[in-house]
Amino acid sequence: MIEHKEHFHGSDLEKIEKIYGIKKEDITSFSANVNPLGISYKLRNELASHIDAITSYPDREYTSLRKCIGDYVHTDYSNILVGNGSTELISLVIQITKPKKALIVGPTYSEYEHEVALEGGRSHYFRLKESDNFNLNVDELKEALTPDIDLLVICNPNNPTSSQITRSTMRTILDTCKEKGIFVMVDETYVEFSENADEITSIPLTEFYNNLIILRGISKFFAAPGLRLGYAICGSHRLLKEIDSRKNPWTINSLAAIAGEIMFKDNEYIEDTRNLISSERKRICGILSGLDTVKFYQPNANFILVRILKDDVTSEDLFDAAIKKGLMIRDCSTFPFLDNKYIRFCFMNPEDNDALLKVLTEHLK
């Protein structure tokens, strides 16, 4: 198991406040990868009017919410299960599949490895190479998918590389896994930020593959991590039933369930988000391409991975310089296969992005 160093997560604002003496309210987090527009417009206007919902239990089946999610992701609601954030669902999937050996495409989110270890399994990484700009080499992955592997974990688009896999490529991977009896868990936390999300999401493949489950949530795209609402899409109703039987009842409170229904129907907010992220992604890539002291990797999510080419500057240096200005980026030296020459930051509002770019360019001249 790879050892992960102590680091600041996007939610660790209290730690930052204590160490740097900066009020957390004054910190702009480029590390949390959360939609800069804040919560859904409709949610802000409507949720308070539903306050009386907390006087009764939610529908144990969350039927209305699941139907709303089904409309949003274009699949039958019977293929959907909701949970207390995608974190709960990741944990439940691994508890049920009980992989003795998991293959994780990385560098990526550390929680997958952690959950596998809790179930007594071992995790191995299929390494995304810098020489490939952290894009997946499918042929090499297929060779690494040996019959002793029980579970393949893919984050798509991937965190922190912001690289992605097309649905046609995913189908090739699933075919290989099907032949070898390997279950596949795909985390699509960031897919809604992708320029061509409809061509990237693997949700349509759940109709053809019963060895596939897809996880999503509302923390990032809908800027609502505090609501703790996640959902899984899977074509195997047997597996969904087993996951549901392991869950505690009513893990999603009444207001979170109502909030989900409101958010998934807020088309203006969804379109505004996609337009903002798309325009800022292109603009920032254009600015970074003019610097010879960094290399960036084509981003597909709402964040970008940057490699520092200047010898006397490290990721710790840039983190420190940015946080002193109230701007929090991600020092990526804690990710497997990355070192202290990598940072990650998400795309915020233009004025915030400009403030961060000013700090970074001053230290990368």
Side-chain angles (χ1 to χ4, degrees):
M1 184 172 177
I2 291 176
E3 292 187 14
H4 300 280
K5 295 186 297 183
E6 175 74 17
H7 66 278
F8 293 115
H9 182 269
S11 62
D12 291 338
L13 298 184
E14 288 81 5
K15 288 184 182 179
I16 295 288
E17 185 177 49
K18 184 177 181 180
I19 293 171
Y20 285 89
I22 304 170
K23 291 182 179 180
K24 62 182 181 180
E25 295 82 8
D26 296 332
I27 298 172
T28 301
S29 179
F30 288 81
S31 177
N33 298 339
V34 172
N35 187 337
L37 293 182
I39 63 173
S40 150
Y41 312 146
K42 285 187 176 181
L43 183 64
R44 188 178 299 279
N45 293 329
E46 297 177 19
L47 186 60
S49 66
H50 295 278
I51 189 65
D52 289 340
I54 64 174
T55 63
S56 59
Y57 285 98
D59 167 22
R60 188 166 182 147
E61 302 297 322
Y62 297 98
T63 304
S64 181
L65 173 60
R66 287 162 57 225
K67 286 182 176 179
C68 187
I69 294 171
D71 290 339
Y72 176 66
V73 300
H74 310 298
T75 196
D76 191 278
Y77 81 96
S78 64
N79 298 330
I80 296 170
L81 180 71
V82 293
N84 189 243
S86 60
T87 304
E88 182 193 29
L89 296 170
I90 290 169
S91 179
L92 287 168
V93 169
I94 291 173
Q95 285 176 31
I96 289 169
T97 56
K98 291 189 180 299
K100 293 180 180 178
K101 183 177 179 181
L103 186 65
I104 302 172
V105 176
T108 195
Y109 183 46
S110 63
E111 191 63 25
Y112 312 131
E113 180 184 343
H114 175 68
E115 291 293 339
V116 170
L118 288 178
E119 289 302 309
R122 294 176 58 200
S123 293
H124 297 257
Y125 279 88
F126 177 81
R127 183 174 183 173
L128 298 172
K129 299 175 183 177
E130 196 280 334
S131 58
D132 293 328
N133 291 320
F134 296 108
N135 291 310
L136 180 68
N137 186 313
V138 181
D139 291 334
E140 290 183 2
L141 174 61
K142 288 168 68 176
E143 290 180 11
L145 291 169
T146 51
D148 60 330
I149 293 170
D150 307 298
L151 175 69
L152 173 65
V153 181
I154 300 174
C155 183
N156 190 38
N158 184 47
N159 175 22
T161 62
S162 210
S163 52
Q164 66 184 11
I165 303 167
T166 63
R167 188 159 61 244
S168 60
T169 298
M170 191 69 76
R171 189 160 204 155
T172 299
I173 295 168
L174 285 165
D175 285 338
T176 300
C177 289
K178 187 74 172 175
E179 290 172 9
K180 299 182 179 181
I182 300 170
F183 191 77
V184 182
M185 182 172 73
V186 179
D187 185 344
E188 289 193 349
T189 293
Y190 299 103
V191 74
E192 291 139 295
F193 291 109
S194 178
E195 201 75 40
N196 51 343
D198 290 341
E199 298 172 17
I200 302 303
T201 179
S202 295
I203 289 175
L205 299 181
T206 57
E207 297 180 21
F208 309 103
Y209 295 89
N210 62 3
N211 64 326
L212 168 67
I213 192 164
I214 296 163
L215 306 179
R216 287 195 188 182
I218 62 168
S219 296
K220 307 302 183 180
F221 189 83
F222 288 98
L227 281 176
R228 308 311 307 141
L229 172 58
Y231 55 102
I233 305 100
C234 183
S236 171
H237 289 191
R238 178 199 60 77
L239 178 60
L240 288 178
K241 186 175 181 180
E242 189 172 0
I243 296 172
D244 196 38
S245 70
R246 297 284 189 99
K247 286 171 73 259
N248 290 323
W250 305 299
T251 55
I252 302 169
N253 67 64
S254 299
L255 285 180
I258 291 168
E261 293 188 45
I262 295 170
M263 285 185 288
F264 291 122
K265 295 175 182 175
D266 194 344
N267 294 325
E268 181 183 359
Y269 170 88
I270 292 167
E271 188 65 21
D272 285 353
T273 298
R274 288 175 175 158
N275 288 338
L276 173 63
I277 297 302
S278 177
S279 61
E280 285 302 286
R281 182 164 47 213
K282 291 173 184 173
R283 187 175 75 89
I284 290 170
C285 285
I287 293 170
L288 292 177
S289 64
L291 296 176
D292 58 8
T293 51
V294 298
K295 176 181 178 180
F296 69 90
Y297 306 90
Q298 183 57 47
N300 294 286
N302 64 323
F303 54 85
I304 188 167
L305 180 68
V306 177
R307 181 184 174 194
I308 304 162
L309 301 180
K310 194 173 181 181
D311 290 340
D312 59 347
V313 176
T314 67
S315 54
E316 293 98 322
D317 295 332
L318 292 184
F319 178 91
D320 194 62
I323 198 63
K324 287 176 179 176
K325 298 290 187 180
L327 310 171
M328 182 179 175
I329 61 173
R330 181 67 151 88
D331 170 1
C332 290
S333 61
T334 56
F335 282 96
F337 316 122
L338 300 183
D339 57 26
N340 67 354
K341 287 294 186 177
Y342 291 90
I343 61 168
R344 186 202 70 201
F345 60 89
C346 65
F347 308 125
M348 303 292 281
N349 290 308
E351 56 272 25
D352 292 325
N353 293 333
D354 288 341
L356 177 62
L357 288 169
K358 184 175 185 292
V359 173
L360 296 180
T361 52
E362 284 175 354
H363 287 77
L364 290 167
K365 289 179 180 176

